[in-house]
Amino acid sequence: MSVAVGYVASQEGRAALSAAIGEAALRKTTLQIISPVAGEASAEADSDIRGAIAAATAAGVQASVRPNEGTDAADFMTDASYEEDVELIVIGVRRRSPVGKLFLGSTAQRVILEAGCPVTAVKADVGPRN
């Protein structure tokens, strides 16, 4: 069994990665890092993925990268959720305005509603309220 995380280099992505590493360690399982690569392959992106794998390894979790080469991210993660070896999907979410929700499809929302396994949605730390 494994934990899969939808990962992009953002605050939300890093929060999801951290939570996924914790879940994989707790469950004593492996981690699949689902990352977009089509059109985004660069030295910086490669370095970021290596950093994600290093963070998992430092926590004692075996990690592998599962590149999403051009498929819609929500479809790719939803398909992964139906695979026998994936027991949990972890995704990062961000705040969106009501208009933004109306006009733009939400990858996280689609994964939460369509996944074939449990989904953990993680928010990035937004700091204290004033």
Side-chain angles (χ1 to χ4, degrees), residues 49-66:
I49 290 297
R50 284 193 302 276
I53 292 172
T57 302
V61 173
Q62 181 183 358
S64 62
V65 176
R66 189 172 179 173

Side-chain angles (χ1 to χ4, degrees), residues 8 16 19 27 60 73 75-76 89:
V8 293
R27 296 166 186 256
D75 289 341
F76 194 81
I89 298 280

